[in-house]
Amino acid sequence: MNLNIILGEVLKRIKLNQLVYNNKLICKLLKLLIKKNSIDSVDDARNFLSHMSSKPLGKSFAKNVIQDIEYDLTIIIPAYNVEKYIEDCVNSIITQETKYKFLVKIINDGSIDQTRSILKQYEKFDNIQIIDQFNMGLSGARNTALKKIQSKYITFVDSDDKLEKNAIQLLLDAAFKNDSDIVEGGFYKFTNNNKIIEKQTHQSHDSINPFGNLRGYPWGKVIKSSLFENIKFPEGFWYEDTIFMYLIYPICKKTTTISEIVYWYRYNPQGITVTAKKNPKGIDTYWITEQLIEDMDELEIEKTQFIYEFTLFQIYFNFRRTKYMGPEAQKSLFCLSSNLIKTKFPQFKTTNRNQIELENALLNDDYKQYYLYCCFN
């Protein structure tokens, strides 16, 4: 592992990273530790990353059908091998006390454990649809549910999570009151023994900018179904939730936050965040960034300053996700990210002083400065 990465992580833990990064002499010495490699061009970079993990073919463009609106809300639950959790999840929904009419779509995505047997007990409910399909992954399961929409709003619930007891009422009250495109509430992060380890809340705002205020996850919020009329989750990718930042938030006219807790998110120590560190599939963090920016063009979604600032942050975040994959992978990510900024955002300049050095490094092909920035910030 590169010494700069190790040093950067240690200094962050003791909160001395900025002190070291701002010392010009130390930075000059640290740059000497960054070795040259054979990645010198965009073509070399693409070939190297494609050899590690090829770019999936999925795109975000869709033609979903919005039928006669029969429900206020559709709750979409992809389920794959979740026999331990699915009952808690579904029970947290069917016991909701609300005046609103809701439909639950559970996509059994090729489960090979007892998930389908457990779901059988819910077949008697008129407002629960159980759809069985061969395994298509999280995006494929969500997309199956989105093909035919019968409600004004939709929400996504992961099958190992659950809703707070009054979530539907709280979210839809705010949604209908404000005619909001999205309403988002707070959540608990909890463990398998139901211990709450984190609580995140919002202040209540009838109208708020989604960028920097809403989370990039599909859960914990209700979303106008019309926003998904031409959009789906790109299949084959990890980090598919990134569509919210690039494709959903930019087309919202009004987003709302409420202060109440509406969702319980189960902490998974074996989730992608942990397991992807050395998995070549983690390269998807770049591939999906590139794909979604291309999809913005196809869907004719305007690139704004908010999108540009987020893309700079995403480039930094892509480095953090792939920092243990070796110097060739890191140089490849830099070459492609630099090209992405230059070709897709030629007229933009950051207004965030914390990202100026990253932007300059990308625009000036300064890999060493980029590498140090990402290691020590």
Side-chain angles (χ1 to χ4, degrees), residues 358-371:
L358 173 61
E359 179 185 65
N360 287 338
L362 292 165
L363 294 177
N364 297 321
D365 298 316
D366 190 343
Y367 172 65
K368 291 188 174 183
Q369 187 60 45
Y370 155 88
Y371 195 88

Side-chain angles (χ1 to χ4, degrees), residues 192-230:
N192 283 336
N193 61 4
N194 283 319
K195 179 182 178 182
I196 296 172
I197 57 176
E198 185 178 339
K199 176 182 178 181
Q200 287 197 21
T201 59
H202 292 296
Q203 292 184 344
S204 294
H205 292 283
D206 288 346
S207 184
I208 197 168
N209 188 335
F211 291 96
N213 292 301
L214 299 190
R215 293 179 286 273
Y217 307 115
W219 47 260
K221 54 173 68 72
V222 294
I223 308 144
K224 267 189 182 175
S225 58
S226 57
L227 296 179
F228 276 96
E229 188 171 7
N230 296 313

Side-chain angles (χ1 to χ4, degrees), residues 10 14 31-32 43 52 95 104 107 119 155 218 252-253 259 357:
V10 171
I14 60 176
K31 285 182 179 181
L32 296 176
D43 288 341
M52 287 185 68
T95 56
V104 184
I107 312 302
L119 289 174
T155 190
C252 288
K253 295 179 180 178
S259 60
E357 292 185 18

Side-chain angles (χ1 to χ4, degrees), residues 250-305:
I251 62 175
C252 288
K253 295 179 180 178
K254 190 173 190 179
T255 56
T256 298
T257 54
I258 60 175
S259 60
E260 294 89 350
I261 296 290
V262 298
Y263 197 87
W264 288 66
Y265 168 77
R266 189 183 302 272
Y267 171 67
N268 180 6
Q270 300 303 317
I272 286 178
T273 302
V274 176
T275 60
K277 290 182 178 180
K278 295 185 180 181
N279 189 326
K281 183 67 173 167
I283 295 297
D284 276 5
T285 191
Y286 172 77
W287 292 137
I288 198 164
T289 305
E290 179 183 87
Q291 184 62 54
L292 291 176
I293 292 173
E294 292 172 359
D295 290 345
M296 288 187 75
D297 292 336
E298 184 173 355
L299 290 161
E300 298 182 345
I301 297 173
E302 180 186 4
K303 297 189 187 77
T304 64
Q305 188 69 26

Side-chain angles (χ1 to χ4, degrees), residues 27-41:
C27 281
K28 285 183 180 180
L29 294 174
L30 291 174
K31 285 182 179 181
L32 296 176
L33 299 174
I34 302 174
K35 298 179 181 179
K36 292 185 178 180
N37 56 60
S38 59
I39 307 299
D40 291 321
S41 69

